Amino acid sequence: MSLSSIDLAILAVYGIAIFGLAQWVSRDRGGARTTSTDYFLASRSLPWWAIGASLIAANISAEQIIGMSGSGYVIGLGIASYEWMAALTLLIVGKYFLPIFLRNDIATMPQFLQQRYGPTIRNVMAVFWLLLYVFVNVTSILWLGSIAVATVTGLDQNYAIIAIGAFALLYQLRGGLKAVALTDIVQVTLLVLGGLIIGFIALDKIGAGSGPIAGFTTLMAEFPEKFDMILSKDNPHYKELPGIAVLLGGLWVMNISYWGFNQYIIQRALAARSIGEAQSGIAFAAYLKLLMPVIIVLPGLAALVLAPGLDKPDQAYPTMMNLLPVGLKGLVFAALIAAIIASLASKVNSISTIFTLDLYAKARKGMSEQHLVLVGRIAAVAAMVIGILVARPLLGGFSQAFQFIQDFTGFFTPSIVVIFILGLFWKGASEAGALTAAIGGVALSGILFWLDKAGVFTLPFMDRVGLVFVISLIAAVIVSLLVPPKAGTMQIRLDGVSYKTTLGFNIAGVGVIAFLIAVYAIWW
C-alpha cells in the first residue's frame, strides 16, 4: 500500500490540528497554576461527551482494529460479542460502581484498594499495574501500531515506533488527562468516520454498486457460517468463543475487569464534574460500543468476498483500505493513527497518575501540587522511553503478539474482579482474603494454562477465566471469614450512595438490552 501526496497532506493536517488542539485545551487559564487534580483528573470537570468519547478512544487502538478485523475474517460476526457485551457492562459500571467511587473521591484504583483493605494490597497492585501498563500495554500499542504504520507508509518500523511514541507523549505531556479527554472527541469522530467509509465502500463493491444493504445481504448469503454469534462445539473456533460462555461465562469477568477497574479506562469517569455527567458519558460510550463491530469487524467480513485467500488474517483491514480512492485513504489512515495515539496517550497518562499519586506521593508526603505535576510528567516520559526501547525485544519474536497479550492479562483478570467486587459489596471482605484471591488466582491461571498447552486437557481461554474467578471468589470468602478485616481498615463511605439513575440513563439501558436481544436472536 502507498499513500499519495494528497493522502500524506491529509495526515499532516490531522497531526498539526490535533497537536494544536491539545495544547490549546491544556493552557493555564487566568494565570492559575496546574494542580495534581487539574493534571491527573482534568480538574474533575469533564462533560459527558468528553467522557464517552475518551472511554472509546482509550479502548480502541490499531492492534484492536486490525486484530478484530482479522478475527472477523477467520471467525466471523461472533467476535463482535466482545464489543456488544461491553456495552451492557458499561451500563452496569455506571449504575453500580461509579456511585461508590465518586462518593469517595477515588482518583486511582490502588487508592480504592487502600481505603477498602489497607496499604499492602494497594502497593502490590500499584506496582503490578505499572509493570503491566508499561511492559504489556504500551509496548504492544507501539509494536503493533508501528507494524500498521510501516505497512501502509513503508517507513522503517524502528522509526515508526519512535515517531508514534514521541507524538503521543508530547501532545498530552503539558495538559495531562484534560489534553487527552478533550481531544478524544475528534479522535473518535475520525475513527468512526473512517470505519464507516471502509464499510460502505466495501459493501457497495460486494453488492456490485447496488448499495451497502445489498452487499451485506450478499455477504450473508455467501458465508452464512460466519454469522453465528454462539458457536457450537464442532465449530473450529469454539476455543476462542466457547458457545454460551460469551453470554453467561468468562466474558463477563473480562469485561467487568476492563471497564470497571482498569485505571486508563475508568479514570475518565472519575474526572466527571458530577455523577450524572459520568453516567451520561458511560451511556454514550455504550452506544459507541454497539457501533464498533461495523467499524472493526465488518471490514474483515467484507474481505471474505473481496480478498479471499489472504495469507494472514491481519491483512484484511489494510487490504480493505486499498479499496479507497485517493484522499479517503489518507482520511482512513489518519483515523488509524488517531486510534494509536489516543490509546497510547491514555495509557501513559494513567501510568503517571498511578506512579505519582499511589507511590511517590505516599513515600514523600507534603510535596507541593506543582512538584507532583512535574513528577507526573517525568513519569510519563520515562514510561514512553522504556516502552520504545523494549517494544521490539519483548514482542518482536512473537508472531501472535496480540494473542500473547490476551493470554497474559487473562492470568490476572479473575483475581482483580474478585478483589473489587467483594470490596464494593461485602463489608466482610478482608485484606487477607483479597491477597489470597490475587496470588491464588494468578497461580491457578498459570497452572491451567500450562496444563492446556501440555495437552492434558482442552480448556477455552474464556472458560478458564470463568473457572478461576469462581474458585478465587470462594477462596477469598473463606479466608475473609477465617481472618476477618481489622477494625478501622474499611474507610470506604457508603452513606449517601444512591444507585438510582436518571430516566435518560434507564432508557439508554433498555435500548442496549433490546439491541442485544435482537442481534443474538437474529444471528444465534
Side-chain angles (χ1 to χ4, degrees):
M1 182 185 297
S2 60
L3 296 177
S4 69
S5 56
I6 295 176
D7 295 323
L8 291 173
I10 291 173
L11 184 61
V13 169
Y14 155 74
I16 294 170
I18 201 68
F19 188 86
L21 179 61
Q23 303 319 300
W24 184 75
V25 301
S26 300
R27 71 195 188 283
D28 294 329
R29 301 183 182 183
R33 302 182 70 181
T34 302
T35 67
S36 61
T37 301
D38 296 332
Y39 191 77
F40 299 116
L41 290 172
S43 308
R44 291 193 187 270
S45 62
L46 290 183
W48 66 269
W49 51 266
I51 294 166
S54 196
L55 282 166
I56 300 304
N59 166 234
I60 302 295
S61 188
E63 78 272 15
Q64 187 163 356
I65 294 173
I66 293 172
M68 289 288 278
S69 291
S71 294
Y73 186 83
V74 174
I75 299 173
L77 187 64
I79 199 68
S81 287
Y82 278 94
E83 303 300 313
W84 284 336
M85 293 305 293
L88 186 55
T89 306
L90 275 164
L91 296 175
I92 292 171
V93 170
K95 186 174 181 65
Y96 295 108
F97 300 172
L98 277 183
I100 299 176
F101 289 152
L102 294 178
R103 172 65 183 86
N104 290 275
D105 292 327
I106 298 299
T108 69
M109 292 298 96
Q111 177 197 345
F112 171 83
L113 295 178
Q114 178 182 4
Q115 292 182 208
R116 177 59 185 84
Y117 293 111
T120 301
I121 196 163
R122 179 207 72 199
N123 293 334
V124 169
M125 295 306 295
V127 172
F128 158 71
W129 271 311
L130 286 176
L131 294 174
L132 179 70
Y133 290 169
V134 173
F135 291 100
V136 177
N137 294 117
V138 170
T139 55
S140 68
I141 296 173
L142 285 169
W143 177 252
L144 296 172
S146 69
I147 292 176
V149 171
T151 300
V152 173
T153 65
L155 183 68
D156 180 86
Q157 193 176 347
N158 290 323
Y159 292 137
I161 290 173
I162 295 171
I164 291 169
F167 187 86
L169 175 67
L170 292 175
Y171 110 95
Q172 62 87 47
L173 191 62
R174 180 184 175 195
L177 182 61
K178 185 183 295 184
V180 175
L182 293 181
T183 56
D184 277 346
I185 189 68
V186 178
Q187 311 274 43
V188 167
T189 300
L190 197 56
L191 173 64
V192 170
L193 183 62
L196 292 178
I197 288 172
I198 283 188
F200 182 91
I201 290 178
L203 290 179
D204 187 60
K205 284 186 177 293
I206 293 173
S210 299
I213 295 177
F216 190 72
T217 303
T218 301
L219 182 60
M220 286 194 297
E222 290 192 21
F223 295 93
E225 73 280 4
K226 298 293 184 180
F227 287 84
D228 289 333
M229 293 298 298
I230 305 298
L231 304 187
S232 58
K233 287 190 176 182
D234 59 354
N235 190 294
H237 304 291
Y238 180 82
K239 191 171 183 180
E240 287 85 1
L241 290 173
I244 200 67
V246 300
L247 296 181
L248 302 176
L251 183 57
W252 275 107
V253 179
M254 296 158 63
N255 276 338
I256 288 173
S257 173
Y258 184 87
W259 294 103
F261 312 127
N262 190 346
Q263 180 67 30
Y264 66 78
I265 294 295
I266 200 68
Q267 188 171 340
R268 284 106 185 88
L270 300 180
R273 60 175 59 146
S274 68
I275 181 65
E277 289 287 319
Q279 290 173 332
S280 296
I282 287 281
F284 178 37
Y287 276 83
L288 288 174
K289 289 303 284 184
L290 296 182
L291 184 61
M292 280 302 113
V294 177
I295 296 167
I296 63 178
V297 177
L298 182 58
L301 289 168
L304 290 166
V305 175
L306 299 175
L310 289 176
D311 294 333
K312 296 180 180 179
D314 286 353
Q315 294 174 342
Y317 194 86
T319 302
M320 292 300 96
M321 283 182 63
N322 260 336
L323 298 175
L324 301 175
V326 171
L328 283 181
K329 187 182 294 185
L331 181 66
V332 172
F333 183 59
L336 195 64
I337 295 297
I340 298 170
I341 297 301
S343 185
L344 189 56
S346 296
K347 268 73 168 180
V348 170
N349 178 258
S350 291
I351 289 166
S352 70
T353 302
I354 290 177
F355 176 82
T356 305
L357 300 185
D358 290 307
L359 296 180
Y360 187 87
K362 298 296 182 184
R364 299 194 64 186
K365 299 181 185 298
M367 293 293 104
S368 69
E369 291 290 301
Q370 287 69 44
H371 180 81
L372 293 179
V373 171
L374 176 61
V375 169
R377 288 171 174 151
I378 293 172
V381 173
M384 188 65 79
V385 170
I386 292 171
I388 290 172
L389 291 176
V390 305
R392 181 179 286 276
L394 277 182
L395 296 176
F398 286 98
S399 59
Q400 295 291 328
F402 188 69
Q403 188 59 48
F404 161 76
I405 294 162
Q406 292 292 93
D407 286 339
F408 183 81
T409 54
F411 285 6
F412 306 95
T413 297
S415 301
I416 290 171
V417 176
V418 168
I419 293 168
F420 276 94
I421 291 296
L422 291 181
L424 286 166
F425 302 112
W426 184 41
K427 292 183 179 180
S430 68
E431 187 171 35
L435 287 170
T436 299
I439 298 170
V442 173
L444 181 58
S445 293
I447 292 170
L448 292 176
F449 177 80
W450 179 81
L451 291 174
D452 182 45
K453 291 296 183 183
V456 177
F457 57 77
T458 298
L459 185 65
F461 166 75
M462 207 175 288
D463 288 347
R464 187 188 83 210
V465 169
L467 177 62
V468 173
F469 169 75
V470 172
I471 295 174
S472 299
L473 178 64
I474 294 171
V477 170
I478 292 173
V479 172
S480 292
L481 292 173
L482 294 174
V483 187
K486 298 177 183 178
T489 56
M490 170 63 168
Q491 298 177 18
I492 294 296
R493 298 185 61 180
L494 298 177
D495 57 295
V497 172
S498 173
Y499 301 114
K500 185 178 180 180
T501 45
T502 64
L503 177 62
F505 184 90
N506 294 337
I507 292 174
V510 171
V512 168
I513 293 171
F515 177 88
L516 293 176
I517 291 173
V519 295
Y520 280 97
I522 293 170
W523 291 303
W524 184 276

